[in-house]
Amino acid sequence: MDAAGSQVADECARHVGQYQSGFITTQGGNLLCSKIIHLITNNQVKSQVSKVLQECEQRMYKSVAFPAIGTGQAGQSPAKVADEMLDAIVEFARQKSIQHLQTIKIVIFQTNMLTDFYESMKKREDSDSATKEPLSSAFKSFFWGKKQSSEKKKLLILEKKVCLVTFQICGYSQEKMDATESWIKDLILKEQLENSVADEAIESFDETQIAILEDLQRRKHVTIELENKLSPPQIKISGISRDVYSVSLEVQKMIQQIKSTEEEQSKAELLYNLVEWRYPGSNGSFVAFDKLTNTQLEHAKVFKKPFLNVKINKKNYKVDLNTLKATDDQGKTINLQRVAKDEGK
């Protein structure tokens, strides 16, 4: 309230007793937002979040940011609050009538609560395989913002290559040739195998993964079909059993790599909402590190590592985590900044 200014405090005073829905709405005051929704304290976190989300949609707001409701003076468990807030967001995200609200953020100022919210999100992501519409898609859409149509990923097509083999059978009678043909077909069918790998991560395959699949298809003499219109997307592999098993393992490794990368990006995004590391730019300004480097620096600091090697403008630097100074290969030293996002709020 102090950061918002006296104008907002006066507006709240004028609305005393007018909070039938459990909240009142004021102007943004000195804060960088158009409106502030003030919740009346109670322990029904899920209900409060649901009401705020419906209010935002009704008033055609495009984004909303929540604190970790009830974890301050109310003293509620961060894990319980995380579950209730995310339950409300998931239920809201599943509604088909949503037209206006595009971005939902939870701003966590207490670093120790970050794990509770991350684990709550992870539980939902791990259990979404049984749902018709994956929760991971809803989380990405609302927490990181909905992608505009110009950013739609182009449809990737895996070229299907089939090498034909022709058998010519000569014999003393039609009966013996038919028997030989049947024997050959049986041999082929016994050695043939078809295996499908289904996973939401396949949706994230790009040109790099498609190139790897094409190489596997060529080297292993299998047929690989990418069925990305199914839910979840599938990769179907057909061929000789040993080759199908081998390629299936490679596909599983690719999927796991995609998941690991997305998990690291998710952690980096959450941490970036708490702490930002910066290096000197031009004209005395400072530039934020990319989110993955930001995560590496913060982890090194938290775990009390003395030094960390990073790249700044394609040059190698050795960062002293105690003095926040970075030195390049020529001995030139620059000062870094570590800024907590809640400073000044």
Side-chain angles (χ1 to χ4, degrees), residues 173-272:
S173 67
Q174 186 64 44
E175 180 182 357
K176 289 186 178 294
M177 289 191 292
D178 289 342
T180 302
E181 181 183 352
S182 177
W183 176 73
I184 292 173
K185 287 181 177 179
D186 286 342
L187 281 180
I188 293 174
L189 290 174
K190 286 179 182 177
E191 285 294 318
Q192 289 291 305
L193 179 67
E194 180 178 287
N195 184 44
S196 293
V197 180
D199 199 287
E200 286 296 332
I202 294 172
E203 188 179 12
S204 299
F205 276 25
D206 58 19
E207 288 87 349
T208 301
Q209 284 76 38
I210 295 299
I212 293 173
L213 291 177
E214 288 178 339
D215 180 62
L216 286 170
Q217 184 173 241
R218 183 176 59 256
R219 289 190 295 106
K220 296 293 186 178
H221 302 289
V222 296
T223 299
I224 302 177
E225 296 179 66
L226 179 58
E227 300 178 335
N228 48 14
K229 292 184 179 180
L230 298 178
S231 182
Q234 292 185 9
I235 292 177
K236 186 159 58 177
I237 308 154
S238 307
I240 297 176
S241 301
R242 63 176 182 273
D243 295 326
V244 171
Y245 286 133
S246 174
V247 173
S248 296
L249 288 175
E250 292 297 321
V251 170
Q252 292 287 5
K253 289 179 183 178
M254 292 165 64
I255 290 172
Q256 189 55 50
Q257 181 61 45
I258 290 285
K259 287 183 174 180
S260 297
T261 300
E262 290 184 344
E263 184 173 334
E264 288 302 314
Q265 290 173 343
S266 178
K267 289 180 179 178
E269 184 77 35
L270 290 171
L271 185 59
Y272 187 73

Side-chain angles (χ1 to χ4, degrees), residues 127-192:
S127 63
D128 70 0
S129 58
T131 64
K132 185 175 181 181
E133 182 178 356
L135 300 184
S136 57
S137 300
F139 276 132
K140 289 174 185 175
S141 173
F142 279 99
F143 280 103
W144 317 136
K146 293 183 179 179
K147 294 183 179 179
Q148 302 300 316
S149 58
S150 60
E151 295 177 83
K152 286 183 179 178
K153 185 186 293 184
K154 69 176 182 179
L155 180 64
L156 298 174
I157 300 175
L158 177 65
E159 184 180 351
K160 186 176 179 180
K161 296 183 178 179
V162 179
C163 298
L164 297 179
V165 176
T166 302
F167 290 89
Q168 292 183 337
I169 305 170
C170 301
Y172 293 107
S173 67
Q174 186 64 44
E175 180 182 357
K176 289 186 178 294
M177 289 191 292
D178 289 342
T180 302
E181 181 183 352
S182 177
W183 176 73
I184 292 173
K185 287 181 177 179
D186 286 342
L187 281 180
I188 293 174
L189 290 174
K190 286 179 182 177
E191 285 294 318
Q192 289 291 305

